Amino acid sequence: MDEAYRVQECPELGRYGVAARDLKAGERLFSELPFAVGPKLDSPPLCLECCCPVDGGEGGPRCPRCGWPLCEDCAAEAAPLPYHGAECAVFAEKRVRFQSVEDSTAGCVQLDCITPLRMLLAKEANPERWEREIAPMEYHDDKRREGANWKVDDHNIVSFLRNACGLADRFSVELIQQVIGVLDVNAFEGRTCNGYSVRGLYPQLAIMAHSCVPNVVHSIHPSEAFRLEARVAVDVAEGEKLYTTYTYTLTGTVARQAILKASKFFTCMCPRCVDPTELGTHFSSLLCNKCVGGIIISSNPLDENAEWKCGDCGFKTSGAAVQKAILTMHNELDELACLEYDAGRLEAYEGLYKKFRSVLHPRHFINTSIRHSLIELYGRIPGYEMVELPDVLLERKVDLCRDVLRVLDVVEPGLSRSRAMVLYELHAPLIMLAQSAFGRGEEKRDGKTLKQQLEEAAAILEECGSILEWEDPTSPEGILSNVAKQSLLQLRQSIATLE
C-alpha cells in the first residue's frame, strides 16, 4: 500500500506531515513502536517494569538484582525484563541503590532519570534508528537553558547518570541534556494494561504539527510493546497538513497556551487559539452580569493579561480578574473529585452546575467538565442506576451527552476516542426512553416510531464500537468496544422483531 503521508519542512514548523493522497476518516496513517517508554517526570514510587504504584519506604518491594522499585509480580518474572532489564544491569554493575522515601504518594526525583537512561541505552542498542529518527528531533536547547528546570535536570539526571552511575565515559553532558529535551518536547502520554501513566517517544507522531483542533488521532497498545497506531479522524485532502495535539483539547485557550509555552516552547496560532470565541463554542467565555444576554470574551486570547469585554454593553474587566475567578471555580470543581461515589457526589455536581450557570457560558470548559462527570454518574450510582431513572433524568443524560458532542464536533472533530465514549453513554438512555414511551402506548416519541428510535441507538452503538475497536483489546476502551458490539447485536435482534 502506498504511503499515507509525506514529510515536509519549513522554518515555522520544522518537519511536519501532509497527506500524500486523499484520506478518508478512520484511515490508518502509520503504526510504530516507541524508541523508549518509561515513567513520567515527578512520578511517585512505582514498579519500573509495569509502572504500578509501590511502597517507596524501606520495606517496599525491590528488584532482587539492583534494589530499585519492582513489584512482587514483576520481581518473580524471569530476567531480563523487557523494560527494566537494561537499566537494571547498569544499577547492579555500579551498585547504585534506590534511596527509600518517606512519602510514597509524592514525586520521587530518583525516578526522573529512568526514561532518559532508557533513551540513552536504546541509542546504543539501535544507533541507526537514533540517527534516522531521533537525532533530527527538536529539543530547544537554548530555550531550555534559560529555564529553572535546566539546573534541576543537570543535578538530578545528568550528574546522577554520569557520576553515581559511572556513565561519564559513555554519555556526554550535551547528549544527556539532548535526550531530556527530546523527551520533554516530543514525548506522548500512554497507559499500561492496568491503566498506569507512562510516557513514550514516538518519532513519526512527533513529526505531525500541533493544532488545538487535531485531525489525527492515535491509540497506544500496551499489550503490544506500546505500539502506536495513528489514524485520521476526518477526511483529509491530499496535501493538507496533518495535526495531532500536544495538549488537552477540552481546556480553555489560556490553559492550553500556558502548557504549550512551558513544555513545548511555542505559542499556538491555530484558528481556534486566535479566535476569542474558540470557533463559536465560547469555550472560555463568560456571561455578562451588567446586561441581559451579553457575552464577555478576551480582546486578545493569546495574551492572558489582555482585557475582556462584553460584546453587548461594553463592560470591561481585566484578564487577571477573569483568571482569578476561573481558578476559584476550578478549585471548587476539583474538591468534588474527593467525594464518595454516591448520590451526594452527583447532587454536588448538579449544584455546582447550577451555581455557575449565571457566570459561565453554557459551553464553557468548566461546564463541559461538569457535564462529563454527570454523564458518568447518571446510570451508575445507587439511587440513580439506569433502570431507576425516570424519564426526566434519562432526558437529562441525553441532553448532557448531546451538549458535549456539540463541543467535540468543533474542537475534536471526527472519529475520536472522546466521541466514542460519549456515544456509548448516549445509547442506553435513548433505548430506555423509547421503551418507556412504547410502554405507555405512545406510537411515537419526538416524531419517531419505536423502531426509528431503536435504529438511532443502533447507529450510535455501531459508530462507538467502530472507533473503539482501534484500541488495545486489554484496555478499558478496547473492552468497551466488545461490549458495544454485543449490545448492538442484541439491539438489532430486538429491532428485527418489529419488522
Side-chain angles (χ1 to χ4, degrees), residues 49 62-66 70-89 92:
E49 182 62 23
R62 300 286 186 268
C63 172
R65 185 179 180 194
C66 70
L70 207 63
C71 73
E72 294 177 358
D73 289 341
C74 290
E77 293 288 331
L81 295 171
Y83 302 106
H84 174 57
E87 77 243 9
C88 178

Side-chain angles (χ1 to χ4, degrees), residues 215-231:
N215 57 16
V216 173
V217 294
H218 69 268
S219 56
I220 294 175
H221 296 238
S223 66
E224 300 176 37
F226 291 95
R227 179 181 65 86
L228 178 143
E229 190 165 288
R231 296 175 181 268

Side-chain angles (χ1 to χ4, degrees), residues 247 251-260 323 365:
T247 186
T251 54
T253 298
V254 170
R256 296 195 314 277
Q257 290 286 351
I259 291 170
L260 293 171
Q323 296 314 312
F365 67 86

Side-chain angles (χ1 to χ4, degrees), residues 386-412:
M386 194 64 72
V387 294
E388 301 174 309
L389 293 181
D391 282 7
V392 65
L393 292 184
L394 290 170
E395 290 170 350
R396 172 68 171 148
K397 179 157 182 166
V398 168
D399 290 342
L400 290 167
C401 290
R402 294 200 188 281
D403 286 341
V404 172
L405 287 171
R406 290 187 190 98
V407 170
L408 290 174
D409 284 342
V410 178
V411 304
E412 202 173 301

